[in-house]
Amino acid sequence: MITRRKVVAGSAGALLLAAMADRYAFGAEASADEPLIALPGKRPLIKRTFRPPNYETPLAALRPQFTANDTFFVRYHLASIPEVDARTWRLRIGGTSAKRPLELSLDELKRDFERVRLAAVNQCSGNRRGLFAPRAGGVQWTYGAMGNALWGGVRLRDVLNRAGVNADALEVVVDGADGAALPGTPDFVKSLPVDRALDADTLIAFEMNGEPLPHWNGAPARLVVPGWTATYWVKHLTSINIEPQAFDGFWMKSAYRIPTGAFPGARFASQENAQTTPITEILVNSLVTSHVNGDRIARGRPADLAGWAWDGGSGISTVEISLDEGNAWRPATLGQTPSSYSWRGFRAALDTSKPGPLRIAVRATGRNGARQPEKLTPNPSGYHHNIIQTLMLEVA
Amino acid sequence: MNALLRYFPALLAVLFVSLALAAGEESVELQSAPGRDVVVARCSVCHSVDYVQMNAPVLDRAGWQKSVRKMIDQFGAPISEEDAQRILDYLATNY
């Protein structure tokens, strides 16, 4: 069997041909072995699985500051995904630790609470799982199980306060309309620590890049938990329950967990045990979008290496480029950023005066001091792939 | 008759799902070998079988075993032990 890595290493020409054969020429290496297929309302994306639908954004579509709604990645765990009618949709807020349970229509949600907009990266916990060595089971994403968008909605905090949060509240449990084919399959339900749910930046979003949320990204409303991985950004919201005890559903107790103490990031104390703990914050990371491994650049012509860097919300302080396998680093120029949860652009001029290979490494550092590592931290589910990206370009 | 009634909801669910294949999914073709039919019949109740192809470079026999057990024990797939063994043999041999 030919794996993607072999294809990438073996044949830049085949990649080029594959890209040229596409309707629009994505340079993403993943397009070499997975077809680009369009879900209704989406442009062709890298199909990982048909059902439940898991579709990855090609690299070329990650170049804009905000990832377009029709190229934004799609990720589901369960295959029953109803088209929610926004006119009859209701969001139920309740739970044992809610003082005044309530129900909201979309109009009420829009009308009764202060509207906010926030730019934030939405990144799957398993983004780049397909690049893990040793390999990890699960959806074999490469770089595109992520995107950056301007999310519009209301603060979850304001809605929870309307319901009244009792002093004994521990977690906020969130469910969406998507469900399983069989009654015995655990529904996709997630919880947040109550302080993260009450954070001013945690939103109930009904807009994405100024448009209503697309169906495949959670219409009519989804959670936005900026800085935390996308597993918490529950789509097609139906209920939000304030509870005095730790939620014990499969998707908290068994899935989306990492070895305790292995990674930096916020702790989710009520869900932690000695062995494992829930994944929480996105780790500092970066992605070159201007070039892919194996690209040729013309000798003597100006060329910039460019891409994005992001973290769990501290904000990016530096991005550095190395041309000598990580011995010397020089800073790239950073762009403006609409928020510390958004990705931030970087750019560095390449020396194209001499023919030959350019071995490029890129590393980002956050304002909290965390820096991309050289080595992966192994973990069974293949989460938190954020090692320094390397690529070889050829000046000719 | 009793058994039929008892399993009717499950049968109905299977029937419903089998009508709800995702567009394009029928293009996924697993290796033709003994056991393929039971894999397609059982696994396709909940998901497209491109999951099998996607995880082929990742999972060995022990990995497939874990995956099949997860579907039965944690995801509630109504699969007999006999079918589970046939599914495992097919996956481990062909992927």
Side-chain angles (χ1 to χ4, degrees):
Chain A
M1 152 158 278
I2 298 173
T3 66
R4 172 166 53 260
R5 216 158 309 152
K6 285 176 196 154
V7 171
V8 170
S11 173
L15 282 178
L16 192 64
L17 285 175
M20 284 167 63
D22 295 333
R23 217 155 58 80
Y24 54 128
F26 288 126
E29 51 200 69
S31 58
D33 74 339
E34 282 294 351
L36 294 180
I37 294 176
L39 286 167
K42 291 279 186 182
R43 299 190 72 173
L45 303 178
I46 303 165
K47 192 276 294 176
R48 295 290 166 208
T49 62
F50 280 111
R51 178 172 56 96
N54 287 293
Y55 288 76
E56 172 168 350
T57 304
L59 188 68
L62 295 173
R63 285 181 188 138
Q65 169 80 60
F66 292 114
T67 315
N69 291 3
D70 61 5
T71 58
F72 214 91
F73 81 101
V74 175
R75 201 277 180 263
Y76 283 89
H77 302 82
L78 305 173
S80 173
I81 308 165
E83 296 253 3
V84 181
D85 182 349
R87 291 163 303 181
T88 56
W89 176 81
R90 295 289 183 278
L91 179 60
R92 297 184 308 280
I93 323 293
T96 308
S97 297
K99 293 190 173 101
R100 299 171 297 276
L102 63 120
E103 257 191 33
L104 295 168
S105 68
L106 189 57
D107 284 342
E108 288 166 330
L109 196 63
K110 291 179 173 177
R111 191 187 61 212
D112 295 352
F113 301 91
E114 186 188 345
R115 300 280 280 269
V116 287
R117 280 182 155 191
L118 182 70
V121 164
N122 175 237
Q123 180 182 244
C124 177
S125 309
N127 193 30
R128 307 187 183 183
R129 179 185 290 119
L131 308 177
F132 256 77
R135 302 192 69 154
V139 179
Q140 298 296 300
W141 305 110
T142 58
Y143 298 101
M146 70 174 309
N148 192 45
L150 186 60
W151 308 96
V154 301
R155 292 186 187 90
L156 175 60
R157 176 170 78 181
D158 294 346
V159 173
L160 293 177
N161 285 337
R162 177 75 58 92
V165 181
N166 274 332
D168 66 355
L170 183 68
E171 293 187 1
V172 171
V173 180
V174 185
D175 192 10
D178 44 328
L182 295 174
T185 306
D187 192 15
F188 187 72
V189 181
K190 297 294 291 186
S191 68
L192 286 171
V194 70
D195 59 340
R196 181 69 240 221
L198 292 172
D199 186 299
D201 293 330
T202 302
L203 310 182
I204 297 171
F206 37 78
E207 284 178 3
M208 183 173 167
N209 296 323
E211 301 286 332
L213 275 180
H215 167 64
W216 300 112
N217 299 102
R222 76 177 303 170
L223 218 56
V224 166
V225 190
W228 285 33
T229 64
T231 182
Y232 296 100
W233 301 40
V234 175
K235 302 186 287 295
H236 316 290
L237 288 173
T238 53
S239 73
I240 300 177
N241 288 312
I242 312 164
E243 300 294 350
Q245 71 278 323
F247 176 65
D248 67 355
F250 172 85
W251 300 99
M252 293 306 302
K253 291 293 180 193
S254 300
Y256 287 103
R257 297 182 73 90
I258 51 179
T260 300
F263 294 99
R267 285 180 61 192
F268 194 157
S270 55
Q271 292 284 346
E272 187 167 307
N273 64 44
Q275 288 77 42
T276 63
T277 192
I279 190 170
T280 56
E281 290 175 301
I282 297 169
L283 300 187
V284 63
N285 214 338
S286 60
L287 175 67
V288 172
T289 55
S290 60
H291 297 82
V292 294
N293 193 40
D295 274 359
R296 282 166 179 268
I297 45 182
R299 184 182 176 188
R301 294 261 300 272
D304 280 356
L305 191 80
W308 304 112
W310 64 96
D311 72 356
S314 86
I316 294 300
S317 63
T318 58
V319 175
E320 298 161 290
I321 314 291
S322 172
L323 297 170
D324 60 358
E325 320 218 338
N327 291 308
W329 295 89
R330 67 183 164 104
T333 304
L334 294 180
Q336 297 299 310
T337 183
S339 95
S340 65
Y341 298 110
S342 167
W343 59 29
R344 185 172 190 184
F346 67 85
R347 184 170 289 278
L350 295 172
D351 178 1
T352 61
S353 61
K354 291 184 283 290
L358 288 177
R359 290 184 183 80
I360 296 171
V362 180
R363 73 176 184 198
T365 305
R367 291 203 180 97
N368 62 1
R371 172 177 284 169
Q372 285 184 260
E374 284 179 10
K375 289 206 173 100
L376 276 176
T377 300
N379 65 100
S381 302
Y383 297 140
H384 279 328
H385 186 299
N386 75 328
I387 54 172
I388 292 170
Q389 188 187 1
T390 56
L391 62 170
M392 192 161 83
L393 308 181
E394 184 78 20
V395 179
Chain B
M1 188 63 191
N2 269 346
L4 188 64
L5 283 177
R6 193 146 43 97
Y7 291 117
F8 188 66
L11 286 173
L12 204 63
V14 169
L15 201 65
F16 173 76
V17 171
S18 67
L19 295 172
L21 296 187
E25 181 181 339
E26 67 286 349
S27 66
V28 179
E29 228 176 292
L30 295 183
Q31 307 266 15
S32 179
R36 181 175 72 170
D37 290 353
V38 69
V39 167
V40 170
R42 291 305 186 176
C43 306
S44 296
V45 170
C46 292
H47 62 83
S48 49
V49 290
D50 46 5
Y51 272 85
V52 170
Q53 299 165 331
M54 180 174 67
N55 279 296
V58 184
L59 301 180
D60 56 10
R61 189 177 185 92
W64 286 121
Q65 164 82 350
K66 217 173 139 190
S67 191
V68 171
R69 287 318 317 175
K70 178 182 173 185
M71 295 303 146
I72 297 169
D73 299 337
Q74 298 189 286
F75 280 50
I79 298 176
S80 68
E81 288 307 312
E82 190 192 343
D83 278 355
Q85 190 59 46
R86 290 164 68 199
I87 290 169
L88 174 62
D89 286 341
Y90 173 85
L91 295 173
T93 307
N94 296 288
Y95 284 95

